């Protein structure tokens, strides 16, 4: 049994699954960005002695929290809140971690630190979107499981 299907078997060619995966990933990106950007912005505007890596670690944690909260809220319209929370954590946590790491590494590589500027945000969002997209597609196509 293959973990990653070959390109020539048609698995990766489903337009409907790519569309649904993009929508799911955008919702996750919105949730992650709220906590992540909010943390970086706050630390950018206060006096502190935290290292770049400490700020980024907190930004990642806060991004995960806000993403889980947003996904739980979205899913709670379809199911009980407790089940919505378990589903939000269980189905997309790997995707959220990959997204957060991609966004924050992009910020560090382009700005040298935990810095939000008008020009770095689009690159962070692009990296955060593209990185988990194949995983989200694979999971949706293989298991028929969507997070939203």
């Amino acid at each position: 049994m293959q973990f990653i299907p070959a390109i020539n078997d048609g698995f990766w060619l489903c337009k409907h699954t790519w569309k649904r995966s993009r929508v799911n990933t955008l919702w996750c990106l919105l949730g992650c960005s709220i906590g992540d950007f909010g943390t970086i912005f706050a630390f950018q505007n206060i006096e502190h002695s935290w290292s770049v890596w400490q700020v980024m670690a907190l930004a990642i944690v806060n991004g995960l929290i806000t993403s889980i909260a947003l996904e739980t809220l979205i899913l709670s319209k379809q199911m009980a809140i407790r089940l919505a929370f378990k589903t939000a954590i269980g189905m997309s946590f790997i995707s959220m971690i990959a997204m957060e790491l991609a966004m924050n590494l992009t910020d560090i590589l382009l700005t040298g630190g935990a810095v939000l500027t008008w020009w770095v945000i689009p690159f962070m969002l692009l990296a955060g979107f593209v990185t988990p997209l194949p995983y989200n597609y694979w999971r949706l196509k293989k298991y028929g499981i969507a997070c939203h």
Side-chain angles (χ1 to χ4, degrees):
M1 183 175 192
Q2 276 182 295
F3 177 71
I4 301 175
I7 290 176
N8 63 356
D9 69 3
F11 181 90
W12 295 101
L13 303 177
C14 179
K15 290 179 184 179
H16 172 74
T17 305
W18 277 115
K19 182 179 179 182
R20 184 75 236 164
S21 298
R22 286 190 301 269
V23 170
N24 292 354
T25 303
L26 284 172
W27 277 114
C28 188
L29 185 63
L30 174 64
C32 284
S33 297
I34 292 168
D36 194 310
F37 290 170
T39 302
I40 296 169
F41 182 76
F43 274 86
Q44 196 172 303
N45 290 291
I46 63 169
E47 291 284 331
H48 66 86
S49 60
W50 288 38
S51 73
V52 169
W53 297 106
Q54 289 171 317
V55 173
M56 287 303 190
L58 183 61
I60 289 170
V61 169
N62 287 342
L64 294 172
I65 290 169
T66 55
S67 186
I68 291 167
L70 179 62
E71 290 187 33
T72 299
L73 179 67
I74 292 167
L75 290 168
S76 70
K77 309 250 188 269
Q78 305 166 30
M79 58 188 74
I81 191 82
R82 185 180 200 147
L83 182 57
F85 177 74
K86 288 175 70 173
T87 303
I89 288 179
M91 288 181 13
S92 54
F93 201 66
I94 291 170
S95 175
M96 287 184 265
I97 291 170
M99 179 177 287
E100 282 292 334
L101 289 171
M103 288 171 58
N104 285 283
L105 289 173
T106 299
D107 188 19
I108 289 171
L109 289 171
L110 294 179
T111 68
V115 180
L116 287 182
T117 62
W118 65 269
W119 63 267
V120 79
I121 291 173
F123 292 106
M124 291 173 69
L125 291 172
L126 180 63
F129 177 75
V130 171
T131 300
L133 188 58
Y135 172 80
N136 291 343
Y137 176 94
W138 171 80
R139 185 157 177 105
L140 181 60
K141 187 72 174 168
K142 182 169 178 138
Y143 298 110
I145 299 172
C147 306
H148 310 89

